[in-house]
Amino acid sequence: AAKGLFHRAIHQSAGYEINETRTLEDLNSLGLELAEMTQASTLEELRQLSAAELLDAVDRLPSDTIFGPVGKGHYLPFLPREASRLNKLNDVPLMVGTNANEWLMYIGENDSLDEYLNTYDISEYKNQVQILLKGIEPRHVLDRIATAAEMLCPSLTMAGNSTRPAFVYQMTRVRQGKHWQSVGTYHGAEIPYVFNTHADWLETGEADYQLTGMMQKYWINFARTGSPNGETLPAWEQFSTINSQVLNLGNEVAMRPSTDIDLCTLINTN
């Protein structure tokens, strides 16, 4: 459906979308629930609802309700993972990546390892996970699991399945200051660098501005040509499942093996 509408794709910290399983049947059920809550008896009555009325109804839905593209419906004939596996995604060059600590600031005090292993259906691999993440502070263990399952592993899958050049980054830059050290390279941390929108409340030093300049050049080059590389930039190699090299965007900007490949292997078995 999107063929010819765009010629490159930049996919930042949203790998989980490839795993979405919402179907037209699922969303039809949600629509009927909304209709009942708003006392609308027809589609036309639903369409006549004001934004305020609709948002009020949405606020009363379960907190984990997600709205988004629908697979196997009128516009998307495949679920995202199925489309990726069958090479049915729009065939364009891809830039995709994640941040090192996507989940860290969302972890609650009472969150447990068993809860996370169960959430991502890897409870049977508990011993292997503990060996892979041995010596890491418990809160960071949970972050590594969730960041891998939600962001990193599906992003690597997208890049590995791409039939066109794919370039993968992992951002590891942590701002100075006690607060930023506590949340690490959080979800959304790359955005002020990409757009050079470092707000006053963001502790921004010379190293951050230097990284900003490099990242903007990479992003602009990719948008223009389909390759992020430029004469003054460290080389960004195309992704290959043979060695899973990614571009580290941190205190050092250079190619290195992706983190948590073995963890992704466990996660991807299910």
Side-chain angles (χ1 to χ4, degrees), residues 153-172:
C153 307
S155 294
L156 296 178
T157 296
M158 288 179 65
N161 288 343
S162 177
T163 58
R164 298 292 296 277
F167 302 87
V168 180
Y169 71 84
Q170 288 181 352
M171 188 167 182
T172 59

Side-chain angles (χ1 to χ4, degrees), residues 98-160:
T98 62
N99 299 339
N101 310 108
E102 299 274 8
W103 228 254
L104 188 58
M105 65 181 177
Y106 303 118
I107 294 173
E109 292 183 3
N110 298 320
D111 290 1
S112 69
L113 175 60
D114 287 338
E115 175 188 353
Y116 275 57
L117 295 175
N118 184 61
T119 295
Y120 299 113
D121 199 23
I122 53 173
S123 295
E124 63 185 295
Y125 303 117
K126 182 176 181 178
N127 290 338
Q128 293 97 312
V129 171
Q130 289 177 315
I131 291 171
L132 289 173
L133 303 179
K134 184 178 180 180
I136 299 174
E137 190 268 327
R139 186 164 167 263
H140 283 263
V141 168
L142 302 186
D143 170 53
R144 290 278 287 273
I145 293 171
T147 292
E150 298 283 356
M151 308 292 191
L152 173 62
C153 307
S155 294
L156 296 178
T157 296
M158 288 179 65

Side-chain angles (χ1 to χ4, degrees), residues 4 54 88 102 104 121 172-173 175 189 196 206 209 231 238 258:
L54 186 58
K88 296 293 186 179
E102 299 274 8
L104 188 58
D121 199 23
T172 59
R173 173 65 183 169
R175 294 177 186 271
N196 192 19
E206 182 58 32
Y209 286 117
E231 291 184 2
Q238 293 183 31
S258 172

Side-chain angles (χ1 to χ4, degrees), residues 19-266:
N19 291 327
E20 293 297 346
T21 58
R22 293 182 295 266
T23 65
L24 185 59
E25 182 178 354
D26 297 329
L27 271 293
N28 278 340
S29 297
L30 180 59
L32 290 173
E33 186 175 354
L34 277 173
E36 182 177 348
M37 294 172 67
T38 59
Q39 298 183 336
S41 58
T42 66
L43 181 59
E44 185 59 33
E45 289 182 8
L46 272 173
R47 289 172 174 165
Q48 293 300 317
L49 293 173
S50 68
E53 290 172 319
L54 186 58
L55 289 173
D56 177 68
V58 168
D59 285 342
R60 287 181 275 140
L61 291 170
S63 59
D64 60 351
T65 301
I66 297 175
F67 294 89
V70 180
K72 296 188 175 180
H74 300 299
Y75 300 105
L76 299 178
F78 302 98
L79 291 171
R81 178 178 284 276
E82 183 183 17
S84 177
R85 180 176 55 83
L86 297 174
N87 293 322
K88 296 293 186 179
L89 296 176
N90 200 1
D91 190 24
V92 297
L94 172 68
M95 178 194 289
V96 61
T98 62
N99 299 339
N101 310 108
E102 299 274 8
W103 228 254
L104 188 58
M105 65 181 177
Y106 303 118
I107 294 173
E109 292 183 3
N110 298 320
D111 290 1
S112 69
L113 175 60
D114 287 338
E115 175 188 353
Y116 275 57
L117 295 175
N118 184 61
T119 295
Y120 299 113
D121 199 23
I122 53 173
S123 295
E124 63 185 295
Y125 303 117
K126 182 176 181 178
N127 290 338
Q128 293 97 312
V129 171
Q130 289 177 315
I131 291 171
L132 289 173
L133 303 179
K134 184 178 180 180
I136 299 174
E137 190 268 327
R139 186 164 167 263
H140 283 263
V141 168
L142 302 186
D143 170 53
R144 290 278 287 273
I145 293 171
T147 292
E150 298 283 356
M151 308 292 191
L152 173 62
C153 307
S155 294
L156 296 178
T157 296
M158 288 179 65
N161 288 343
S162 177
T163 58
R164 298 292 296 277
F167 302 87
V168 180
Y169 71 84
Q170 288 181 352
M171 188 167 182
T172 59
R173 173 65 183 169
V174 179
R175 294 177 186 271
Q176 297 301 307
K178 184 177 180 180
H179 171 71
W180 304 112
Q181 297 298 314
S182 71
V183 298
T185 313
Y186 55 92
H187 182 56
E190 83 285 1
I191 294 174
Y193 294 85
V194 172
F195 295 103
N196 192 19
T197 52
H198 300 282
D200 292 341
W201 54 272
L202 294 171
E203 297 186 45
T204 309
E206 182 58 32
D208 297 297
Y209 286 117
Q210 290 180 1
L211 182 58
T212 295
M214 296 177 72
M215 288 177 63
Q216 287 193 306
K217 289 178 182 177
Y218 280 129
W219 263 244
I220 291 170
N221 288 345
F222 180 80
R224 284 175 174 168
T225 69
S227 169
N229 289 295
E231 291 184 2
T232 62
L233 296 168
W236 189 343
E237 300 171 14
Q238 293 183 31
F239 182 78
S240 167
T241 55
I242 295 174
N243 56 23
S244 299
Q245 291 278 316
V246 302
L247 184 72
N248 176 60
L249 296 171
N251 296 337
E252 179 187 28
V253 177
M255 298 299 297
R256 73 176 193 185
S258 172
T259 58
D260 293 328
I261 290 295
D262 291 336
L263 182 58
C264 285
T265 298
L266 296 179

